[in-house]
């Protein structure tokens, strides 16, 4: 498990360990004192794609900046490949940064440099000679599918293309860890998917560990193997992405999940929902099924065993962290007999159910 | 107009160009690093030195708020020390340079502060040293704005150089005052003004053109 509770003893597999990390900003100028991170412990496994999700202001930007020392913790330790980032002097910190790639929400490409020049920049900074840079940059542009744009300037590219350049630039120094700071937040959904696909491919082909922060559950769902939910500077929930999505425990997680397509009920149903049933009402129930259950003809079996009408109100079948997952909201008679039969059916088939309310 | 006068106008034009070029060059060479320092030495910036930043800022402001004509007179001892004289083209270069330094410094500071902080962060994340950030990111990205800043400096210097004519500085301003004004020769004054306008136009067009070439941001796709 990549996001483990025991982080004081980092496993050999850990790419990044946050060990009781706090970040406190003292009051200055027009802003008061502020605690961005409060005793955060988290382990990021080597080779994983780990997501940290939270609302804006939850502390996730600060958290990711601790990894390459752009911010210093006021308490606790951050270990990158076992090295305590806070203990490094400036020169050692620069060396570490050259081994950690980073991509940004607004791409942060130099407008004065061509595509080639932007990808070459980190190599120039590390003192590589021109010929070697040329040999390194070409395949990177191929990897992100922009070899034909090498002489263009960022202003001539679309947002998705700019982020591809950002990714090629981040990979130039052949890092083992890639930090992604809301890298798809400025992109449209379609472009977001293609960038996420690219991150997935890089993770698989280069064995690169990816630590990404985002406020979008779609991003977490699409690429991450592990996730941590951050709220008000604390990690409130963590685990394998599939587990967190299918069994969210914390209210913040549920709130973030409720925005996902397919998990929302139609407004008319939400308005009609009552907490207690009256005679003749129907129960509205959310069924969650995964793995083998997702492949059974559940609905026809349910109708047979309930022996009454079953309405489908909302539903989605999806993949989370590569595993099939389905969510179905159905309504059936709320009388004791029908409900009893339905519940027996759910238990027999190992379905997770949640009664959302009752409608007339 | 007599050939003698035309010759004087020609040599005064050369004097003006010479003064503007030398003062502009030396002033910019000194003003540029001061401007970079002002833009990068605030609290939490690349070379944090807030106290020194404040002091340099004060000196720059003081120099900029001193009227140029007063500056010229006030630094006569210094001018004499450097050039051995207080009149003529050579002497005029000293106050022109002194006035250029803070002017350039503030324009450079503004040009650098315009750069997106995200670029500095990206460069830091790449492991760049502060000096690498200055040369590879800040100066490179600010090049169009710096070109316009230096153009503005040259245009202002042409104006200032005419002013030093009032205190025996040489150049077109001197010619205009001595012939056009004191000897009531409006045709000389007119030619002087036209030459100055042409000079300013040339400098501005060249600067604008160069800045456009450097600007890769506002290109059409």
């Amino acid at each position: 498990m990549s996001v483990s509770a025991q982080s004081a003893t980092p496993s050999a597999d850990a790419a990044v360990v946050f060990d009781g990390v706090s970040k406190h900003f003292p009051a200055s100028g027009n802003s008061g004192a502020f605690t961005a991170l409060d005793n955060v412990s988290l382990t990021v496994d080597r080779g994983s794609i780990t997501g940290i999700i939270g609302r804006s202001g939850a502390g996730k930007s600060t958290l990711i900046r601790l990894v390459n020392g752009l911010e210093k913790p006021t308490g606790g330790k951050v270990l990158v490949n076992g090295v305590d980032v806070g203990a490094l002097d400036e020169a050692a910190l620069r060396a570490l940064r050259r081994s950690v790639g980073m991509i940004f929400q607004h791409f942060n490409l130099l407008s004065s440099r061509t595509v080639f020049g932007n990808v070459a920049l980190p190599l120039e900074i590390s003192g590589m000679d021109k010929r070697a840079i040329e040999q390194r940059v070409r395949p990177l542009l191929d990897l992100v599918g922009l070899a034909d744009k090498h002489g263009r300037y960022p202003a001539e590219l679309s947002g998705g293309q700019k982020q591809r350049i950002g990714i090629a630039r981040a990979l130039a120094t052949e890092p083992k860890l890639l930090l992604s700071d809301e890298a798809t937040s400025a992109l449209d959904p379609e472009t977001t998917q293609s960038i996420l696909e690219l991150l997935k491919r890089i993770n698989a082909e280069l064995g690169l560990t990816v630590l990404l922060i985002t406020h979008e559950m779609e991003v977490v769902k699409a690429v991450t193997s592990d996730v941590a939910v951050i709220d008000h500077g604390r990690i409130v929930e963590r685990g394998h992405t599939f587990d967190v999505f299918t069994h969210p425990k914390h209210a913040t997680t549920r709130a973030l999940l409720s925005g996902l397509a397919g998990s929302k009920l139609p407004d008319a149903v939400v308005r009609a929902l009552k907490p207690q049933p009256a005679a003749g009402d129907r129960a509205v129930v959310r069924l969650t099924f995964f793995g083998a259950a997702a492949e059974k003809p559940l609905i026809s079996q349910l109708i047979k065993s309930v022996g009454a009408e079953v309405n489908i109100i909302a539903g989605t079948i999806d993949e989370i962290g590569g595993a099939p997952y389905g969510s179905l909201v159905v309504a059936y008679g709320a009388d004791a007999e029908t409900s009893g039969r339905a519940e027996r059916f759910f238990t027999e088939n190992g379905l997770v159910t949640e009664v959302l309310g009752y409608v007339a | 107009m007599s050939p003698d006068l035309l010759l004087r106008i020609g040599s005064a034009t050369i004097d003006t160009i010479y003064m503007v070029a030398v003062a502009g060059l030396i002033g910019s060479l000194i003003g540029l690093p001061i401007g970079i320092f002002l833009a990068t030495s605030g609290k939490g910036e690349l070379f944090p030195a807030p106290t020194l930043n404040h002091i340099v800022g004060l000196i720059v402001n003081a120099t900029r708020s001193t009227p140029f004509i007063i500056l010229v007179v006030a630094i006569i001892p210094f001018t004499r020390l450097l050039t051995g004289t207080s009149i003529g083209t050579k002497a005029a270069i000293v106050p022109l340079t002194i006035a250029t330094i803070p002017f350039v410094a503030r324009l450079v500071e503004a040009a650098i502060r315009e750069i997106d902080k995200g670029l500095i962060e990206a460069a830091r994340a790449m492991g760049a040293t502060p000096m690498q950030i200055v040369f590879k990111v800040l100066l490179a990205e600010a090049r169009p704005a710096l070109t316009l800043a230096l153009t503005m400096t040259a245009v202002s210097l042409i104006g200032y150089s005419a002013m030093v004519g009032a205190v025996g500085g040489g150049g077109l301003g001197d010619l205009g005052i001595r012939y056009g004004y004191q000897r009531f020769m409006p045709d000389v004054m007119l030619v002087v003004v036209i030459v100055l306008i042409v000079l300013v136009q040339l400098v501005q067009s060249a600067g604008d053109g160069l800045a456009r070439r450097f600007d890769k941001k506002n290109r059409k796709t």
Side-chain angles (χ1 to χ4, degrees):
Chain A
M1 176 152 165
S2 137
V3 183
S4 70
Q6 304 84 11
S7 52
T9 51
S11 70
D13 260 2
V16 182
V17 177
F18 298 95
D19 184 6
V21 172
S22 296
K23 176 70 180 179
H24 187 75
F25 291 102
S28 75
N30 46 11
S31 58
F34 170 67
T35 299
L37 295 171
D38 185 8
N39 196 22
V40 169
S41 291
L42 195 66
T43 302
V44 178
D45 255 11
R46 206 178 300 282
S48 73
I49 302 185
T50 297
I52 295 171
I53 184 163
R55 300 187 185 95
S56 55
K60 52 192 193 302
S61 291
T62 307
L63 190 63
I64 202 166
R65 278 169 177 68
L66 293 172
V67 178
N68 57 2
L70 292 177
E71 298 272 7
K72 301 263 181 210
T74 45
K77 276 195 291 192
V78 180
L79 306 176
V80 176
N81 292 322
V83 176
D84 182 357
V85 178
L88 299 175
D89 62 19
E90 278 298 314
L93 191 55
R94 281 195 291 272
L96 173 108
R97 284 171 180 162
R98 285 168 194 172
S99 70
V100 177
M102 190 167 188
I103 55 176
F104 305 88
Q105 177 173 5
H106 298 296
F107 325 122
N108 295 348
L109 300 176
L110 269 63
S111 65
S112 59
R113 282 177 172 245
T114 60
V115 163
F116 182 94
N118 268 287
V119 180
L121 181 61
L123 300 171
E124 285 175 26
I125 283 170
S126 70
M128 192 182 262
D129 70 68
K130 271 207 160 96
R131 283 178 69 105
I133 288 176
E134 180 98 10
Q135 283 171 358
R136 183 76 70 83
V137 173
R138 297 281 165 193
L140 281 167
L141 292 179
D142 279 333
L143 176 75
V144 299
L146 288 175
D148 57 325
K149 303 274 190 222
H150 71 274
R152 297 304 186 97
Y153 287 91
E156 301 169 301
L157 303 178
S158 70
Q161 289 172 331
K162 284 183 200 170
Q163 195 57 289
R164 282 168 187 274
I165 300 308
I167 291 171
R169 182 177 71 177
L171 297 178
T173 52
E174 299 183 333
K176 284 280 156 252
L177 173 64
L178 178 67
L179 306 175
S180 166
D181 178 11
E182 296 273 11
T184 57
S185 298
L187 303 174
D188 61 63
E190 204 175 311
T191 314
T192 294
Q193 286 307 320
S194 79
I195 293 295
L196 294 177
E197 282 306 316
L198 179 59
L199 288 181
K200 242 170 154 171
R201 213 176 86 211
I202 291 163
N203 167 257
E205 286 176 13
L206 308 178
L208 192 76
T209 308
V210 180
L211 175 60
L212 64 86
I213 62 168
T214 182
H215 66 272
E216 297 169 312
M217 268 295 180
E218 291 287 352
V219 170
V220 173
K221 190 184 81 180
V223 288
T224 66
S225 52
D226 299 87
V227 65
V229 181
I230 188 168
D231 192 30
H232 293 105
R234 292 167 182 266
I235 303 285
V236 294
E237 188 159 357
R238 56 190 160 189
H240 290 307
T241 306
F242 190 82
D243 299 335
V244 171
F245 268 66
T246 51
H247 299 96
K249 291 181 185 68
H250 196 270
T252 303
T253 317
R254 292 215 179 93
L256 287 164
L257 281 171
S258 69
L260 278 182
S263 55
K264 256 202 163 123
L265 286 177
D267 281 348
V269 176
V270 174
R271 275 197 300 273
L273 275 184
K274 296 181 290 188
Q276 295 299 329
D281 276 2
R282 288 172 301 150
V284 177
V285 178
R286 182 195 298 280
L287 312 175
T288 311
F289 46 94
F290 17 85
E295 280 148 34
K296 283 190 202 164
L298 279 170
I299 294 302
S300 62
Q301 288 179 5
L302 175 65
I303 293 169
K304 274 181 213 154
S305 52
V306 172
E309 276 183 20
V310 175
N311 288 4
I312 298 172
I313 292 172
T316 177
I317 307 266
D318 215 331
E319 221 180 62
I320 296 167
Y325 158 86
S327 161
L328 197 60
V329 179
V330 296
Y332 49 78
D335 57 283
E337 201 189 334
T338 311
S339 297
R341 282 203 295 267
E343 274 159 33
R344 266 197 306 283
F345 174 77
F346 299 145
T347 320
E348 281 162 16
N349 286 279
L351 296 180
V352 177
T353 63
E354 181 191 358
V355 177
L356 301 173
Y358 302 89
V359 288
Chain B
M1 209 178 285
S2 70
D4 176 56
L5 259 181
L6 282 177
L7 210 65
R8 277 175 190 277
I9 290 169
S11 92
T13 306
I14 290 168
D15 280 352
T16 292
I17 293 172
Y18 171 71
M19 285 191 295
V20 169
V22 175
L25 190 72
I26 301 172
S28 298
L29 283 178
I30 303 170
L32 186 72
I34 294 176
I36 295 170
F37 174 79
L38 283 173
T40 55
S41 59
K43 205 176 145 201
E45 291 178 331
L46 282 179
F47 306 97
T51 312
L52 192 57
N53 180 294
H54 196 65
I55 293 169
V56 173
L58 277 177
I59 296 171
V60 164
N61 285 348
T63 322
R64 286 205 65 193
S65 48
T66 309
F68 181 64
I69 200 79
I70 292 173
L71 181 81
V72 172
V73 179
I75 64 163
I76 282 178
F78 180 65
T79 305
R80 218 175 250 143
L81 188 77
L82 277 187
T83 63
T85 172
S86 65
I87 53 167
T89 310
K90 223 164 92 181
I93 288 174
V94 177
L96 283 174
T97 305
I98 302 283
T100 303
I101 294 169
F103 190 80
V104 168
R106 281 296 183 209
L107 289 176
V108 167
E109 181 192 5
I112 289 177
R113 287 208 181 275
E114 276 294 298
I115 296 168
D116 185 357
K117 296 282 171 289
L119 296 183
I120 299 175
E121 185 178 54
R124 286 181 68 211
M126 287 173 208
T129 62
M131 282 313 240
Q132 282 176 323
I133 293 176
V134 167
F135 286 102
K136 287 191 179 292
V137 177
L138 299 183
L139 290 180
E141 284 289 299
R143 201 156 68 154
L146 289 176
T147 308
L148 290 178
L150 292 185
T151 306
M152 202 191 279
T153 304
V155 168
S156 298
L157 264 175
I158 292 172
Y160 282 168
S161 77
M163 233 190 288
V164 286
V167 287
L172 285 167
D174 178 46
L175 191 74
I177 286 186
R178 280 194 292 131
Y179 286 76
Y181 178 64
Q182 286 162 354
R183 296 188 195 176
F184 298 105
M185 296 170 82
D187 50 342
V188 174
M189 190 60 105
L190 186 68
V191 173
V192 163
V193 170
I194 289 171
V195 171
L196 285 173
I197 289 173
V198 169
L199 275 181
V200 168
Q201 277 300 337
L202 286 177
V203 168
Q204 190 69 50
S205 307
D208 286 347
L210 211 55
R212 245 195 318 275
R213 259 187 56 194
F214 290 151
D215 187 4
K216 311 295 186 190
K217 217 177 199 166
N218 300 311
R219 288 188 148 203
K220 297 275 173 292
T221 43

